[in-house]
Amino acid sequence: MSNMNKNTVHIIFQIGQKYPSCENGIWIDFKDNTFLFVVKDDIWTQEELSRLKTSDVTVSFIQKGIIDAFVLEIFDCLEASDLPFYVKDGDAEFIGAIKSKNSFAFEIVFVSGSDEVVAVRHEEFNKEETTTLHEKLQKRLVEETDGSMFEAAYEKLISRFEPFELLEFAVFTKKCSLRKN
């Protein structure tokens, strides 16, 4: 548990915890009503770790054709990266969460080459953003698509657009700043 702004926040991964073994890169997972944006690299500098914890973060939810994705940006740390996901490939927990009215959050997890969590940032989606995610993703569950159609559409999309260019298809953009205004 962590205490932020006098509210108790449930953090999925803790610093020092082992993350399931995986390759370097960035990908999306889901647990406990939280979208996990996992970034693995062999080496993280102190500056990068500090920036995850303190820099502005922008998360955009995009839809283009049959593609759903988040675009993640961390100011002066991580350029725009796309995190596509095919709703129907989700496990029972993910499908149940989409059908529920529960609030959503996201967590950015930096993982080292030795599969250790070295930094975590947890943020909440507000009520409007959560409602939008529920509505848009519930519609995806009943569309007549399959995984191969999604893969072909995603390959076509990334051949035409860089991740930052996908922002024009944003359904919403959430900006998270720890700076006092």
Side-chain angles (χ1 to χ4, degrees):
M1 296 296 231
S2 169
N3 194 350
M4 294 175 61
N5 301 332
K6 299 182 182 179
N7 294 325
T8 301
V9 176
H10 176 68
I11 295 180
I12 308 299
F13 283 97
Q14 303 288 331
I15 293 173
Q17 184 177 355
K18 282 290 187 181
Y19 191 86
S21 185
C22 54
E23 294 181 21
N24 285 0
I26 184 168
W27 66 95
I28 189 170
D29 203 351
F30 186 85
K31 184 175 181 166
D32 296 342
N33 295 312
T34 303
F35 291 92
L36 301 170
F37 305 142
V38 181
V39 187
K40 182 178 178 183
D41 202 353
D42 287 328
I43 299 171
W44 291 103
T45 67
Q46 278 307 118
E47 193 172 329
E48 289 170 320
L49 299 176
S50 176
R51 285 185 175 148
L52 171 64
K53 295 173 188 173
T54 60
S55 290
D56 292 353
V57 170
T58 303
V59 173
S60 300
F61 172 64
I62 66 152
Q63 288 193 310
K64 173 72 172 141
I66 63 171
I67 303 298
D68 296 308
F70 288 101
V71 176
L72 173 65
E73 300 171 278
I74 305 171
F75 182 72
D76 276 349
C77 182
L78 182 71
E79 293 180 16
S81 293
D82 61 311
L83 295 145
F85 61 99
Y86 180 59
V87 173
K88 291 180 182 180
D89 278 348
D91 62 12
E93 177 188 2
F94 182 55
I95 302 299
I98 291 170
K99 293 178 179 180
S100 78
K101 296 290 184 200
N102 295 335
S103 294
F104 286 128
F106 67 89
E107 197 163 282
I108 306 165
V109 183
F110 280 6
V111 178
S112 71
S114 60
D115 297 322
E116 180 182 343
V117 174
V118 294
V120 177
R121 171 116 171 232
H122 185 93
E123 300 283 351
E124 305 281 332
F125 287 112
N126 67 30
K127 184 177 180 176
E128 183 179 315
E129 294 157 346
T130 291
T131 299
T132 298
L133 285 168
H134 281 292
E135 290 172 356
K136 299 286 186 181
L137 298 180
Q138 284 175 22
K139 287 179 183 175
R140 292 290 197 208
L141 289 174
V142 297
E143 289 179 355
E144 293 188 23
T145 60
D146 62 36
S148 63
M149 292 168 67
F150 176 87
E151 289 296 325
Y154 178 65
E155 289 300 320
K156 184 177 178 182
L157 184 72
I158 62 171
S159 72
R160 293 182 57 209
F161 298 97
E162 291 295 323
F164 69 91
E165 294 173 312
L166 295 173
L167 295 173
E168 73 178 86
F169 309 114
V171 176
F172 68 80
T173 296
K174 176 162 192 76
K175 295 183 182 203
C176 305
S177 178
L178 299 177
R179 285 185 255 147
K180 302 285 185 214
N181 293 329

